[in-house]
Amino acid sequence: MLYLLSELSGTFSPLNVFRYITFRTGGALFTAGLFVFWFGPWIISLLRLRQGKGQPIREDGPQTHLLTKRGTPTMGGLMILAGAVVAILLWANPRNHYVWVTLTVTLGFGAIGFYDDYLKVTKQSHKGFSGRFRLTLEALIAVAACTIVSIYSPVALQNQLAFPVFKDALLNLGWFYALFGAFVIVGAGNSVNMTDGLDGLAIVPVMIACGTFGIIAYLVGNSFTASYLQVNYVRDTGELAVVCGAVIGAGLGFLWFNAPPAQIFMGDTGSLALGGLLGTIAVATKHEIVLAIVGGLFVLEMMSVIIQVASFKLTGKRVFRMAPIHHHFEQKGWKEPQVVIRFWIIAVILALAGLATLKLR
């Protein structure tokens, strides 16, 4: 919206500042944060009134959660998505196809998560709707998104998988690329979903990853910086930095209310949507493998569940005291703030490692 105003204002208008991605990224961050700060208490009160008993707490989970988290409303992802979408529509270039693809995946995954949260709250059960059906819906959205991204990608990069560190290493996946990209997006969505189990545990690593991919998108979408760093130049992806800024701002606003003791939980509404957003940006910028580094914490959480389930089915024994792995450390005696802050530190280290791949060529 503001970007279009700057185009209509003329060459020497003060509104030209709205053409700068960096300025609009900061504006999106501030707008989204202010929106969530302002409307957060009202949204929390409304959700608490509607949900009554709040999010059901796992009976087989850490016993302290039954005392400290019972009655807390969920679907806090609505706050994040509302703030981010308002900021994106206000500050991003509405002509940019990458923005709309990312928004579509984010809202699509958010809708799936919302319905899952709705079933859990209304039935007071941990079981939402069918896991297979949910994954099928996510996959359909992701395949469509990857197909569109591939169409708008530079011809030399269409259906290509780029490798970090190696500047000219590309693998042509052909039609399989849409499936691979969908795997990245769906995997990212569900990995963030697995991480969302403690107050503040998921949202801060998401913001760290968004900050990292905001930088990557800006650099990859700029021909000069892409040439200097010897990374693949993907025109127009710089606009995704504005999207990342909006998510960081909305995340900061949400963290104000999600900080322990949490007044609201993100729920699948937020975790699926934010993970899907990260996956889509990684696919658009041709940094799918780097996402596995930057989002290594999410990968660890998902792998802990896969390993736990596989081990129990094959041998009848559990590798971890409880999965996902943040509950394992709780069972070992770590306090919740210890787990959360230490995992934040890991997320920062992994983000720095991911950024380092830009220069290592």
Side-chain angles (χ1 to χ4, degrees):
M1 185 72 71
L2 293 174
Y3 178 86
L4 292 181
L5 287 176
S6 70
E7 285 193 333
L8 295 172
S9 63
T11 307
F12 301 103
S13 170
L15 292 178
N16 278 335
V17 69
F18 293 116
R19 297 189 186 186
Y20 294 107
I21 290 176
T22 49
F23 180 82
R24 289 186 287 113
T25 299
L29 189 155
F30 179 79
T31 302
L34 185 62
F35 181 95
V36 178
F37 274 124
W38 186 265
F39 291 102
W42 176 78
I43 295 174
I44 292 172
S45 297
L46 179 62
L47 290 174
R48 183 177 287 117
L49 179 65
R50 295 284 185 180
Q51 295 178 13
K53 295 181 180 180
Q55 177 173 297
I57 307 301
R58 286 176 56 181
E59 297 291 339
D60 61 340
Q63 294 303 300
T64 55
H65 291 196
L66 296 174
L67 298 174
T68 60
K69 301 185 185 297
R70 190 180 297 277
T72 305
T74 186
M75 299 183 184
L78 291 173
M79 298 164 57
I80 303 171
L81 294 181
V85 169
V86 167
I88 290 168
L89 294 179
L90 183 64
W91 292 96
N93 179 1
R95 296 191 183 121
N96 188 285
H97 40 267
Y98 291 119
V99 170
W100 288 110
V101 170
T102 303
L103 265 180
T104 301
V105 173
T106 303
L107 294 179
F109 275 41
I112 294 170
F114 176 83
Y115 184 61
D116 208 33
D117 284 336
Y118 174 78
L119 292 178
K120 291 175 183 177
V121 169
T122 53
K123 296 180 179 180
Q124 281 297 295
S125 168
H126 299 292
K127 295 182 179 179
F129 66 106
S130 166
R132 287 186 179 180
F133 183 55
R134 186 173 111 164
L135 286 174
T136 300
L137 289 177
E138 292 171 11
L140 290 174
I141 294 171
V143 167
C146 291
T147 302
I148 295 172
V149 166
S150 182
I151 291 172
Y152 282 104
S153 296
V155 176
L157 295 177
Q158 286 181 355
N159 298 325
Q160 302 278 354
L161 173 64
F163 293 88
V165 181
F166 304 101
K167 62 181 180 180
D168 296 320
L170 292 171
L171 177 63
N172 190 343
L173 298 179
W175 62 267
F176 184 71
Y177 179 80
L179 297 179
F180 171 78
F183 173 78
V184 172
I185 295 172
V186 173
N190 286 278
S191 296
V192 175
N193 184 230
M194 289 293 179
T195 308
D196 183 33
L198 301 177
D199 298 349
L201 178 58
I203 189 59
V204 171
V206 164
M207 288 190 291
I208 292 170
C210 274
T212 304
F213 269 92
I215 295 171
I216 290 173
Y218 179 78
L219 296 174
V220 168
N222 183 293
S223 59
F224 175 79
T225 54
S227 175
Y228 172 74
L229 293 170
Q230 298 182 21
V231 296
N232 295 298
Y233 168 56
V234 187
R235 183 180 176 182
D236 295 331
T237 54
E239 202 67 27
L240 292 174
V242 180
V243 175
C244 291
V247 173
I248 293 170
L252 287 172
F254 175 76
L255 183 61
W256 182 269
F257 304 104
N258 186 239
Q263 296 174 249
I264 190 168
F265 297 142
M266 184 190 300
D268 292 2
T269 307
S271 56
L272 273 179
L274 295 176
L277 177 142
L278 284 170
T280 307
I281 294 175
V283 170
T285 57
K286 295 296 178 182
H287 277 69
E288 301 94 340
I289 296 175
V290 173
L291 176 62
I293 301 172
V294 174
L297 178 64
F298 306 132
V299 176
L300 177 64
E301 293 275 8
M302 175 62 82
M303 290 304 300
S304 69
V305 174
I306 294 173
I307 292 170
Q308 185 86 325
V309 172
S311 176
F312 187 74
K313 285 186 175 182
L314 293 173
T315 67
K317 297 180 180 180
R318 292 180 172 85
V319 176
F320 306 102
R321 295 188 181 184
M322 186 177 293
I325 199 168
H326 55 260
H327 289 321
H328 168 79
F329 289 107
E330 278 192 294
Q331 297 289 47
K332 288 188 66 175
W334 289 21
K335 301 297 181 184
E336 183 173 340
Q338 285 181 303
V339 178
V340 171
I341 294 174
R342 287 171 179 173
F343 276 37
W344 288 355
I345 294 171
I346 292 172
V348 171
I349 294 171
L350 291 172
L352 294 173
L355 283 175
T357 64
L358 292 174
K359 189 57 181 171
L360 295 176
R361 284 291 188 275

